[in-house]
Amino acid sequence: MQINRLTQRVLFWQITIPILMLTLGIYHGLMQVLYRAGIVQSASFLGLEYYQGLTLHGVINAIVVTTFFITAFGHTLIIYYLKKELHPGLVLSSFLTMLIGTVAAAWAILAGKATVLYTFYPPLMAHPAFYIGAVLIVVGSWIGLYSWIKPYLQWRKENPDTKIPLAVVGIFSTFIVWFIATLPVAYEILFMLLPWSLGWIDEVNVMLARTLFWFFGHPLVYFWLLPAYIMYYVMLPKLAGGKLFSDRAGRIVFYLFIVLSIPVGVHHQFADPAITQGLKMMHTVLTFGVAVPSIITAFTMAASLEYAGRQRGATGLLNWMGKLPFFDRERYLFAYLISGLIIFIFGGLTGLVNASYSMNMVIHNTAWLPGHFHLTVAGPAFLAILGGSIHLVSKLSGKEIKLKSWNVLVPYVWLLGLMLFSSGLMLGGLEGEPRRTNLGLTYTNPDSPLFRADWITYVHVTMVGGIIMTISALMYFSVFFTTLLGKKSFEPTVEFASSESYHDEPRVGWLDTFTPWIILAVIIILIAYIPAIMDVLENTGPGSPTFSPNSPIPIKPGY
Ligand code: HAS
């Protein structure tokens, strides 16, 4: 479908700029593994110290690349599936707001004034520019969501009896979760951290800030994951040569994420004081609840892939897997999506371990955690973003993808590296290896107070995995940037492989509306979070002075 020239250009840059920034994010990931393994004595050759490099790695990879791509992906889905143009001015202002926010936050990090990691927990304090930057990135994504509402309402008026396209259900569900979840973190930043950083207030309630962050922080992961789920339900069956086993299952999954993504955040705080056990138990139960839509997805995807394999002539019990187009260079998006799905088997199962209160006490704040979240964020979410980015940048620029053989191998090399990387971290974590710990030394240095001989093997396995992941990323950057340097050979467009549903499922009202699901979500959120906030306000003492990771004593408020 042809799109407005300005919209096309904005979308092209909204996808290209994060991939350019990703080169820095990947570099600092590599330097982390080399430094922790004692191979290099600095965690960054760009003059950044360990926590600065880690903050840059987390903010670029987990906040910037994701938010830019997911908003751009949403624009293209609305254009393609509703056959509606977007207001170019809104698309542009959404992009510019996110870009200005990114520059502000990146300046603060690179200037060494925001070494607070991607969770920016107080009493670590950042420069006001970091917090303002974070707010602008979120507001830019809200403008993106706002730009879809009018075209959607117009489409509904014109098509009162047509099922909302599944991709549109998916992207609106993603952004409904995102919009609700960003409200508490907007409060945390605008009314707590920013005035504190400006020196207007001397202290901040650390527990309240943490609780508001995780009120936002766990639904944040579904903001990252759901675009991959949209590709799984809408594109993967078609790419595999089959049909989606159940369109209705897909709708129910997206609506369940609206209802259950948010009231679970206390599961990041099982070890925190101030929050009562009963409440932690409630969030545990709800966390197992939010795993249900993913388990439905596992079975729906397996059924859809089996159908595709049988369409390709498979007859045995399992040999349908061998019939799938793993190395088809034209259907390369299949490779990115199936790799993400395979990784997510482990990412999801380790999430269930995290959610088990007693097992969480073993793994909390250990290297297990980055093992889990690289199997989730850097698995299905990141691979869908890479596959989606190369697909869209090719379509939006009218340029054929170059190095096609490399392109289809990228996700499998990444999968190999990531499995090694995460295994090393999780096995080390089970042996007590801490996360986010520097002390300026490495675990493999016998003189280090952190030295533990039994961690050395795991740290080295993690390093080998990280190097393989870097090789995959370099292959991807080669494909991406040689494609950009290629000649235009077709008219820029937006198009997606779209699966038919295996079962002919007529439209049902309760699966074709967002309202009841939003109401249910708000009710459960109030039940899960009013007591949490009350606990925190009742059980925490005076606020904390400011600390920096580089100074063991409080520093004066404000930068
Ligand atoms: Fe998590 C911590 C629990 C999912 C990301 N998580 C984190 C952190 C991040 C993160 C970033 O309960 C650390 C934050 C920090 O810095 O401290 N997580 C869960 C649970 C799930 C879960 C229960 N997490 C995610 C996703 C993420 C993500 C998704 C990013 C995108 N997580 C936790 C908990 C903590 C936590 C605690 C706090 C720990 C602590 O102590 O701090 C669930 O949503 C998982 C459900 C998923 C499944 C798997 C379904 C499998 C599928 C694939 C099927 C494959 C097929 C392929 C069909 C049960 C869908 C077949 C193959 C063929 C070849 C045919």
Side-chain angles (χ1 to χ4, degrees):
M1 176 182 170
Q2 304 309 316
I3 68 172
N4 168 286
R5 187 108 177 88
L6 175 59
T7 302
Q8 176 239 332
R9 282 168 164 245
V10 170
L11 290 179
F12 172 82
W13 286 110
Q14 188 163 331
I15 285 169
T16 301
I17 288 174
I19 300 296
L20 279 168
M21 294 184 73
L22 185 63
T23 54
L24 252 187
I26 293 286
Y27 164 74
H28 279 97
L30 174 65
M31 293 308 287
Q32 296 277 324
V33 292
L34 295 176
Y35 175 70
R36 287 168 70 99
I39 306 298
V40 292
Q41 296 314 306
S42 157
S44 168
F45 296 133
L46 303 177
L48 276 61
E49 53 86 21
Y50 176 83
Y51 287 110
Q52 245 184 315
L54 186 53
T55 302
L56 201 67
H57 174 70
V59 168
I60 288 179
N61 294 8
I63 306 290
V64 174
V65 170
T66 53
T67 311
F68 274 65
F69 172 79
I70 295 168
T71 309
F73 183 51
H75 288 325
T76 56
L77 293 176
I78 297 295
I79 291 168
Y80 184 69
Y81 286 100
L82 297 185
K83 303 278 182 276
K84 292 280 179 193
E85 274 294 355
L86 297 174
H87 186 296
L90 286 177
V91 174
L92 178 60
S93 42
S94 163
F95 169 60
L96 290 179
T97 308
M98 288 195 286
L99 190 60
I100 295 164
T102 300
V103 170
W107 169 79
I109 297 168
L110 292 169
K113 294 177 177 292
T115 306
V116 291
L117 308 184
Y118 86 97
T119 45
F120 48 89
Y121 293 147
L124 296 178
M125 178 192 273
H127 187 281
F130 177 83
Y131 299 119
I132 293 167
V135 170
L136 288 176
I137 292 173
V138 170
V139 169
S141 67
W142 287 354
I143 297 172
L145 168 62
Y146 174 73
S147 73
W148 307 336
I149 295 171
K150 193 170 163 208
Y152 167 72
L153 294 175
Q154 270 172 352
W155 180 89
R156 288 255 24 190
K157 222 159 127 194
E158 294 157 9
N159 306 275
D161 302 323
T162 311
K163 271 198 274 189
I164 308 170
L166 185 55
V168 175
V169 171
I171 199 66
F172 269 112
S173 300
T174 304
F175 272 76
I176 288 165
V177 168
W178 176 245
F179 182 75
I180 299 173
T182 42
L183 297 174
V185 78
Y187 179 88
E188 179 200 4
I189 292 178
L190 293 175
F191 297 101
M192 296 175 71
L193 303 184
L194 188 54
W196 177 56
S197 170
L198 289 165
W200 297 348
I201 52 176
D202 292 338
E203 57 188 29
V204 69
N205 182 329
V206 170
M207 265 311 296
L208 178 60
R210 260 177 75 83
T211 305
L212 290 171
F213 180 84
W214 287 117
F215 193 156
F216 152 77
H218 199 72
L220 169 64
V221 313
Y222 298 121
F223 175 68
W224 294 331
L225 180 72
L226 289 184
Y229 274 32
I230 294 169
M231 294 185 201
Y232 293 159
Y233 278 95
V234 175
M235 298 159 203
L236 184 65
K238 176 79 174 174
L239 290 164
K243 292 182 179 177
L244 171 60
F245 184 69
S246 167
D247 167 273
R248 196 167 281 178
R251 284 162 204 275
I252 290 171
V253 159
F254 288 122
Y255 293 135
L256 282 178
F257 273 113
I258 292 179
V259 173
L260 293 170
S261 289
I262 299 167
V264 296
V266 165
H267 73 219
H268 292 266
Q269 300 177 269
F270 283 154
D272 283 14
I275 298 177
T276 51
Q277 295 303 88
L279 205 76
K280 291 176 180 175
M281 183 64 195
M282 184 208 295
H283 281 245
T284 301
V285 172
L286 288 167
T287 302
F288 280 98
V290 75
V292 169
S294 288
I295 295 169
I296 294 171
T297 301
F299 287 104
T300 311
M301 287 305 110
S304 306
L305 292 169
E306 177 175 357
Y307 174 76
R310 297 204 183 288
Q311 289 299 96
R312 290 166 173 265
T315 50
L317 181 64
L318 291 176
N319 69 344
W320 53 270
M321 292 186 196
K323 296 280 187 186
L324 297 173
F326 288 101
F327 297 99
D328 181 324
R329 301 184 320 169
E330 296 312 314
R331 297 165 185 250
Y332 60 86
L333 197 51
F334 177 86
Y336 283 92
L337 299 181
I338 196 70
S339 299
L341 266 176
I342 293 168
I343 293 166
F344 196 45
I345 297 171
F346 305 96
L349 293 178
T350 53
L352 297 178
V353 169
N354 300 343
S356 318
Y357 188 92
S358 44
M359 286 195 267
N360 181 278
M361 292 302 115
V362 175
I363 56 92
H364 183 61
N365 275 349
T366 71
W368 167 283
L369 250 294
H372 160 69
F373 68 70
H374 281 81
L375 287 172
T376 49
V377 197
F382 185 65
L383 285 173
I385 288 174
L386 291 189
S389 294
I390 189 69
H391 172 77
L392 284 173
V393 91
S394 164
K395 296 295 179 193
L396 289 164
S397 63
K399 297 180 177 178
E400 282 298 331
I401 291 176
K402 302 283 187 226
L403 302 176
K404 289 188 177 180
S405 317
W406 280 27
N407 187 31
V408 77
L409 286 177
V410 162
Y412 300 120
V413 176
W414 185 265
L415 184 152
L416 171 66
L418 183 55
M419 295 309 282
L420 276 173
F421 171 84
S422 290
S423 305
L425 280 171
M426 293 197 294
L427 291 170
L430 290 175
E431 296 289 339
E433 183 190 340
R435 67 178 291 200
R436 290 180 161 179
T437 309
N438 168 29
L439 286 182
L441 297 163
T442 64
Y443 305 134
T444 50
N445 171 353
D447 306 332
S448 155
L450 269 177
F451 177 72
R452 279 272 302 275
D454 49 353
W455 291 347
I456 290 188
T457 316
Y458 302 130
V459 165
H460 286 153
V461 168
T462 302
M463 175 190 70
V464 171
I467 293 169
I468 296 171
M469 290 161 78
T470 307
I471 293 168
S472 167
L474 291 174
M475 289 168 67
Y476 180 81
F477 292 138
S478 310
V479 172
F480 192 89
F481 296 116
T482 49
T483 298
L484 291 197
L485 296 173
K487 278 203 179 353
K488 188 173 152 191
S489 55
F490 56 87
E491 265 317 294
T493 178
V494 166
E495 60 187 12
F496 296 103
S498 302
S499 314
E500 293 155 57
S501 184
Y502 176 76
H503 290 103
D504 179 22
E505 295 156 324
R507 178 175 180 264
V508 282
W510 58 283
L511 285 181
D512 225 35
T513 171
F514 297 101
T515 313
W517 306 99
I518 295 172
I519 294 169
L520 187 56
V522 171
I523 293 169
I524 299 179
I525 289 167
L526 294 175
I527 293 170
Y529 262 103
I530 288 178
I533 303 287
M534 285 172 64
D535 270 357
V536 165
L537 293 176
E538 272 166 33
N539 304 327
T540 40
S544 159
T546 309
F547 284 84
S548 148
N550 303 316
S551 85
I553 52 162
I555 57 174
K556 70 174 179 45
Y559 262 74

